Amino acid sequence: ASSAMVTGKMTGLKIAGSLGLYEGEIPEEWEEKETILKSKPGPLMQTKKPREEEGIMPIFHCRQEVPCNPCVTACPEGAIKTERDEITGLPYIIDVTMCKGCLNCVFVCPGLATTRVDFRKDEKQPIVTLPYEIWREKVEVGEKVAVTDVDGAILGYYPVEKVLSSQKKYPGTLLVQVRVEKDVAKEAVGIWVQEEQVEPSLIYEKELPPDEAIICRCERITAGEVRSAIREGVRDINQLKAITRAGMGACGSKTCRPMIWRLFEEEGIDLTEVTDRTDRPLYVEVPLGILAGVRGGGEG
Ligand code: SF4
Ligand code: SF4
C-alpha cells in the first residue's frame, strides 16, 4: 500500500507536468523510496539482543528485512534506529539507558515483533510485556498462559500479572505482562491462550467474533468497524474497503474476505444484495520491452 501511494504521488506529478501545471522534477528521494518499498523481503536473520540484564529495554524479534520502521518514529526518546538507517534495516536500540519504558514501540509494531523487558524490580525475575491481539477477552489477570518464543515453542507457563491497553492510540492491541526467569525474558515473544488445536471454523460457528476482534490483520480492522459500516448501509465490499481499509492489505483479502461475508450474514443482510470485491493482484511495474524480450526492457 505504501509503495502504491508513492507511485500514485509520482504519477500525479507526471500528469500535472503533462498538463502544464507543474514544471519541476519528480523529487529524487521519492524515486529512491519507491525502489525500496518495492524491494523483496531479505533473508531471515538472527536478531541481536541487548546484553544488559538491568534496567528496562525493548527487544526486537523481527528477523527479516522488510520496509518497516514505525518503532523508530514512535520512540519519544529517539532510542531506536534501523541498521544502515534504512527503512529495510532491522531495528536496534542505540543505548538501553535511553529507554524510558513508554511501551510505544511494543504497541506500534504491526508484526507484534517487539517486547519490553523490565529488570528494575527484580533482575532474576523480570517482567516481560508481550503484545497480543486475538480473542482478547480470553486473557485474564491471574490466568496461567503459555509463553512462546519466536518459533512458537513454549518456554514455560506463567500467570498474567497485568493487561494493558491504549484504546485511543492503539485500540487493536493488548499488552500482557508476565514475570519470567531472566533466561526466558529476552526470548519471550507471545502467548497462547488456547493450546489445544481446535478446528477454527468450529469456534467460528459457535461464537461471533467480538467487536474488538481483528478481522483484517494487514490493516488491523476490527469486526466492530466492519459491523458499523454494514449497519450504516454499506453493501459493496469495495466500498467497505475504501471506507475502512479492510481488505486493502498485502494478503489481498485472503483472510478477511470470508469473515466479512460472514459479518454481512450475521447482520441479517441478504447476500445477493452484496457486491463482492474486485480482486487487484499485487503488481510490480514491468516495462513492455521485457515482455517483448528486448534486452534491458526500457527500449521496447
Ligand atoms: S519503550 Fe518507549 S522509550 Fe523505550 S525504546 Fe520503546 S518507544 Fe523508546
Ligand atoms: S515496527 Fe516491528 S516489524 Fe517493524 S521494524 Fe520495528 S520491530 Fe520490526
Side-chain angles (χ1 to χ4, degrees):
S2 310
S3 157
M5 280 192 295
V6 176
T7 309
K9 273 165 71 176
M10 289 167 60
T11 309
L13 272 195
K14 281 183 199 160
I15 293 171
S18 70
L19 295 172
L21 300 171
Y22 177 72
E23 288 180 355
E25 297 290 317
I26 292 181
E28 232 171 72
E29 62 271 21
W30 289 13
E31 290 181 2
E32 282 163 21
K33 199 170 200 182
E34 188 196 32
T35 310
I36 291 169
L37 291 174
K38 282 185 175 170
S39 60
K40 289 190 180 150
L44 285 182
M45 302 203 266
Q46 285 300 320
T47 50
K48 290 180 213 135
K49 303 197 172 99
R51 288 198 184 158
E52 287 81 350
E53 291 186 341
E54 57 182 14
I56 190 162
M57 67 199 73
I59 306 289
F60 302 107
H61 298 273
C62 63
R63 310 195 277 189
Q64 192 170 30
E65 293 198 334
V66 292
C68 181
N69 70 349
C71 54
V72 173
T73 45
C75 178
E77 308 301 323
I80 304 170
K81 276 189 145 198
T82 50
E83 283 170 6
R84 307 176 301 281
D85 274 334
E86 287 175 7
I87 191 174
T88 49
L90 294 184
Y92 66 94
I93 178 127
I94 301 166
D95 174 352
V96 292
T97 61
M98 291 170 79
C99 174
K100 300 289 180 280
C102 72
L103 288 169
N104 278 5
C105 56
V106 187
F107 269 121
V108 81
C109 173
L112 308 187
T114 306
T115 63
R116 188 196 72 180
V117 179
D118 186 352
F119 291 97
R120 291 174 302 180
K121 280 200 179 140
D122 188 340
E123 288 179 7
K124 290 194 179 126
Q125 295 262 304
I127 294 270
V128 185
T129 306
L130 305 160
Y132 184 73
E133 288 184 348
I134 312 266
W135 299 113
R136 297 152 25 123
E137 74 284 359
K138 288 192 191 284
V139 185
E140 281 177 23
V141 172
E143 285 282 306
K144 264 196 174 177
V145 289
V147 170
T148 62
D149 69 9
V150 75
D151 296 312
I154 294 177
L155 298 166
Y157 296 82
Y158 304 91
V160 173
E161 298 234 336
K162 219 175 193 181
V163 180
L164 308 169
S165 67
S166 170
Q167 280 308 320
K168 265 200 183 154
K169 263 177 105 179
Y170 306 108
T173 309
L174 277 191
L175 300 187
V176 179
Q177 295 191 327
V178 286
R179 189 179 288 283
V180 301
E181 300 82 13
K182 74 171 184 185
D183 296 345
V184 168
K186 291 181 191 168
E187 301 305 316
V189 177
I191 57 167
W192 282 8
V193 292
Q194 174 195 309
E195 270 189 62
E196 219 173 292
Q197 296 271 336
V198 179
E199 174 58 45
S201 63
L202 292 182
I203 308 174
Y204 197 49
E205 289 300 321
K206 280 193 230 144
E207 298 177 36
L208 302 182
D211 273 350
E212 68 271 21
I214 302 270
I215 293 296
C216 167
R217 284 198 58 80
C218 301
E219 297 292 329
R220 299 180 150 209
I221 310 304
T222 62
E225 288 171 89
V226 174
R227 279 192 183 111
S228 68
I230 295 172
R231 285 173 196 165
E232 277 169 25
V234 173
R235 297 292 178 270
D236 180 338
I237 297 182
N238 299 294
Q239 193 190 5
L240 186 76
K241 179 172 129 185
I243 295 171
T244 66
R245 297 182 69 86
M248 204 177 270
C251 86
S253 190
K254 256 193 303 207
T255 317
C256 63
R257 183 187 216 143
M259 299 182 95
I260 290 171
W261 277 107
R262 182 63 191 263
L263 289 174
F264 272 109
E265 202 173 10
E266 283 164 12
E267 290 295 313
I269 309 299
D270 176 356
L271 295 187
T272 59
E273 285 176 17
V274 180
T275 307
D276 199 0
R277 56 174 264 135
T278 308
D279 284 325
R280 299 186 197 283
L282 289 174
Y283 79 96
V284 172
E285 289 159 8
V286 180
L288 267 181
I290 286 183
L291 300 178
V294 179
R295 207 166 160 198
E299 306 91 327

